């Protein structure tokens, strides 16, 4: 297994290109199941999860090709063709929970699906009950057997009014895609509002879907008989943007994040400003620099537009070297503090009490061998290594490769002393 070695203490200066969002690309690829015509996605990030979703769509019978577009370097995916297999097998789903996003499109398009239950991961049990209840409200017959979800709707799905008890991102995406081909009107109330959902909705509308309330917590979808092909650019990754903003801040450097969009950072930009980090938006991106010292700033993770759970670990690494204290409360997932013991091994002073962690800033962290556990915890350890005195080796970086493209190359190009040690 590959490792990443970092020798810390070097301020970052330069430019980092922000690519398409993993958490937009995955549902957008699943939307390719909603039509036989070509759905062409551009600004596709080169990530392990995108490769896994490619394999999943191909085993459903779809052609997923990378046209050799000059200059796009494999960042264009052309998806299309008839569905020949409605089963999403365990050996793929267990590698990537987002595989559940094929469920709604398959049932809506061909009236049946057999999808392995995703199972949990290190950050939580990750249930999918809201996905299943919504499909049942739309007339699907859902059963669980042998670790698989079987969902059928031989007469097609019908529109329904679905009140989500929690604004689940994945459930909103699954049900919105299913509703596009249902008979009649579907209302999703208390829908999630993440920018990736608005990006998916915009793509669906360009395919002929009829969706109102995009960007709000109430989506109204008028089902249509069929959808057609489209070409859609994947929205920039706000979590990648926030991650590299923290990298600039924790090293005391100044970095231009080309393609980053301040509007999508919302609460993260506010918390970074409170911590003493300046973010200036230009037409081609955002420039981030630390003004003076780093101050403690409390955050509580919440559904968008609140502080995103996917930025909690990265912000905690930043707060570990602030000149004050910070309280970080995780309200979305039940076990998303796996980075804490690893940061503490680097000299951080973090105490976890239930769903809150109190961070007392220290003048400097010290490098150490550390273990990556999940995607965002992994990158928080890289951030800590960039600021630490001495050498840090992050083990099990396959977690990182699922959601961050060429992280060591991007950071090295800004002056970091970082390299990948092939495992
Ligand atoms: C998406 O996961 C993202 N993944 C996650 O990013 C992100 O952390 C999460 O949304 C929250 O923003 C993708 O988009 C591929 P949820 P998802 O459904 O859809 C509970 C990353 O690091 N819940 O909003 O699974 C659930 O247990 C990943 O890029 C139910 O109870 O998130 C959790 O506590 C990690 N029943 C909460 O809702 C359900 O049916 C949020 O889950 C569904 C969810």
């Amino acid at each position: 297994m590959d490792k990443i070695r970092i020798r810390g203490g070097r301020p970052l200066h330069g430019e980092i290109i922000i690519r398409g969002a993993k958490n937009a690309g995955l549902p957008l690829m699943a939307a390719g199941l909603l039509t036989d015509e070509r759905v062409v996605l551009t600004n596709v990030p080169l990530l392990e999860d995108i490769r896994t979703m490619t394999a999943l769509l191909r085993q459903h019978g779809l052609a997923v090709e990378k046209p050799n577009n000059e200059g796009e370097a494999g960042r264009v995916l052309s998806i299309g063709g008839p569905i020949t297999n409605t089963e999403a097998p365990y050996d793929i789903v267990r590698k990537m929970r987002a595989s559940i996003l094929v469920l709604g499109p398959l049932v809506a398009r061909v009236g049946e699906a057999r999808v392995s239950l995703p199972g949990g991961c290190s950050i939580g049990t990750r249930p999918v009950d809201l996905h299943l209840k919504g499909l049942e409200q739309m007339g699907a017959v859902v059963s669980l057997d042998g670790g698989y979800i079987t969902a059928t709707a031989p007469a097609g799905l019908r529109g329904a009014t679905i009140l989500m008890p929690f604004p689940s991102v994945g459930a909103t995406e699954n049900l919105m895609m299913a509703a596009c081909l249902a008979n009649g009107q579907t209302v999703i109330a208390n829908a999630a509002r993440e920018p990736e959902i608005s990006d998916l909705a915009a793509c669906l509308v360009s395919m002929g879907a009829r969706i109102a309330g995009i960007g709000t917590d109430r989506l109204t979808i008028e089902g249509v008989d069929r959808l057609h092909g489209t070409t859609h650019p994947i929205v920039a990754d706000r979590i990648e943007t926030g991650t590299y903003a923290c990298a600039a801040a924790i090293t005391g450097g100044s970095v231009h994040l080309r393609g980053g969009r301040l509007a999508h950072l919302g609460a993260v930009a506010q918390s970074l400003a409170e911590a003493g980090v300046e973010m200036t938006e230009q037409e081609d991106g955002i420039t981030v620099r630390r003004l003076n010292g780093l101050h403690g700033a409390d955050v509580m993770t919440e559904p968008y537009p609140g502080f995103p759970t996917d930025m909690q670990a990265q912000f905690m690494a930043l707060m570990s070297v602030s000149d004050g204290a910070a309280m970080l409360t995780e309200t979305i997932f039940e076990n998303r503090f796996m980075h804490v013991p690893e940061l503490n091994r680097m000299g951080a002073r973090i105490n976890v009490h239930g769903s809150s962690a109190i961070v007392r800033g220290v003048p400097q962290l010290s490098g150490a061998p550390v273990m990556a556990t999940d995607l965002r915890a992994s990158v928080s350890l890289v951030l800590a290594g960039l600021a630490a005195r001495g050498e840090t080796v992050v083990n099990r970086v396959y977690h990182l490769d699922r959601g961050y493209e060429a992280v060591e190359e991007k950071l090295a190009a800004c002056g970091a002393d970082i390299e990948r040690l092939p495992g």
Side-chain angles (χ1 to χ4, degrees), residues 22-23 126-130 168-170 310 332-333 336 376:
K22 167 178 81 80
N23 291 350
R126 313 294 294 276
V128 292
D129 56 310
L130 301 183
S168 155
V169 170
D310 292 349
I332 305 296
F333 290 110
R336 205 168 197 177
R376 308 303 176 181

